[in-house]
Amino acid sequence: MQRSPPRPDVLILGGGLVGMTLALALDAHGVASVVVDPADPAVTLAPAFDGRASAVASASGRMLDAIGVGARLAGKGCAIAAIRVSDGLEPGRLDFVPDAESGALGTMYENRILRRALFEAASEAALVDVRMKTRATSVKRDAAGVVATLYDGTTVSAPLLVAAEGRNSPTREAAGIAVARWRYDHAAIVGAFHHERPHGNTAFEIFYPAGPFALLPLPDGDLGHRSAIVWTVAAADAAGMMKLGDRGFLAEASKRMGGFLGELSAPSPRASYPLGFHHAARMTAERLALVGDAGHGIHPIAGQGLNLGFRDVATLAEVLVEGKRLGLDLGDAALLDRYQRWRGVDTMMVATATDTLTRLFGVPGRAASAVRRFGISAVNAIPPLKDRFMAEARGEAGDLPKLLQGVPV
């Protein structure tokens, strides 16, 4: 790792996809940071595919380009050229297909590729000090600034602390920020497999009462065509699904798909996690800002979780960079209030929309299915409404920070 910046402006606790992206966005604009994370790079950067992949919306992709990460990802993802939504395998579907001039809706990447690109870029960045395999044992925030003592006894001082530690953020809890939360009676199974027929760069979202079955396009592998899955199942069924052998698992997946991609083979490792909703009452406290899952967690029904975190990054970076140019204290309450006002409404609107969709598509029965199919057909027939949904999928709705427009701050 490079030497510590002489005067860090920001201390970031959490070096995952969101925390590391924030450090690089700040570095690109002359703002120094220290990133502290307990993970071992030998594990997080392991070359083998672990079955986890993420959709990076087109707006988020523009930010990665603007901060110099896009070039490291070139040719390593699969463009999402279309999204197809259906209620089970019943007739009727909703196709989101942008025109040629608009470009792809986003890009699918294996998480390991994103992690490595961000880690390598941060390790080479002049104003990012990455400290892995350690954690903050104590943090003091007051009017004078932030001082954190790390596990090895060293201390880090900065004007601002950013919590990017994930949904169980200890920093958020220590700050006493209230969180609205509930659990869905569902679990997600994630992984990938090969299939006989090409996916056509299309993401498929097939809704069942137990939850959506999402197929997300990946680049072809050595064994042919590949897709990632995010499969929502009843919580009571998750353990049994995870115990299935590869043949049984693929047979169950093929039933949910109706066989439209042909024979399935060569599944990746798979993982399961319980699904829930949480939303912090505030994204800030004294000399503290929350980003990513530390501030909000949503159902993966629309694939927007990571992109919400990237929106946090772009917004906070813009607020801090402009504040530094004005000579302001980066922990100033007025700066943090601007971040809170900018992100508070957007995160709540997206969280509420995904929760509503989850509940709407989870209603069982033929009557409910008929209503959903009617709604799908109606949206499909109204171009302005379809355009609005595609703007949301691209991450282009609302008051966009400059980085999400591909413009430096």
Side-chain angles (χ1 to χ4, degrees), residues 111-259:
N111 279 15
R112 65 186 178 110
I113 290 173
L114 288 171
R115 285 194 297 266
R116 180 169 290 279
L118 291 167
F119 183 83
E120 290 177 350
S123 298
E124 297 171 11
L127 297 178
V128 181
D129 177 13
V130 180
R131 304 192 188 186
M132 303 296 289
K133 301 173 67 174
T134 189
R135 66 178 72 241
T137 56
S138 68
V139 178
K140 179 182 177 182
R141 293 180 292 110
D142 57 27
V146 178
V147 179
T149 301
L150 305 187
Y151 185 78
D152 60 6
T154 60
T155 61
V156 179
S157 300
L160 178 66
L161 175 68
V162 175
E165 304 151 310
R167 64 181 55 217
N168 296 316
S169 169
T171 301
R172 181 193 65 219
E173 300 300 318
I177 298 175
V179 180
R181 67 171 81 235
W182 54 81
R183 283 281 182 92
Y184 300 107
D185 191 25
H186 295 149
I189 297 174
V190 297
F193 45 64
H194 290 73
H195 41 82
E196 181 181 4
R197 298 173 190 146
H199 48 55
N201 292 70
T202 300
F204 300 90
E205 192 95 8
I206 308 170
F207 286 94
Y208 292 100
F213 181 97
L215 281 160
L216 306 162
L218 291 174
D220 287 353
D222 294 338
L223 300 177
H225 311 303
R226 289 192 307 155
S227 289
I229 60 167
V230 181
W231 183 356
T232 301
V233 300
D237 297 335
M241 293 296 296
M242 290 298 292
K243 289 178 182 177
L244 285 176
D246 286 350
R247 181 176 296 179
F249 181 77
L250 292 178
E252 289 298 319
S254 185
K255 289 179 186 176
R256 300 305 186 280
M257 298 164 57

Side-chain angles (χ1 to χ4, degrees), residues 5-12 26 31-34 139-148 156-162 285-289 316 320 323-324 327-333 335-336:
R7 297 179 64 186
D9 300 297
V10 180
L11 168 60
I12 302 171
L26 296 175
V31 179
S33 66
V34 174
V139 178
K140 179 182 177 182
R141 293 180 292 110
D142 57 27
V146 178
V147 179
V156 179
S157 300
L160 178 66
L161 175 68
V162 175
E286 183 180 31
R287 294 193 177 274
L288 171 66
L316 184 58
L320 296 180
K324 184 166 185 177
L328 300 178
D329 177 349
L330 295 193
D332 182 77
L335 276 183
L336 296 181

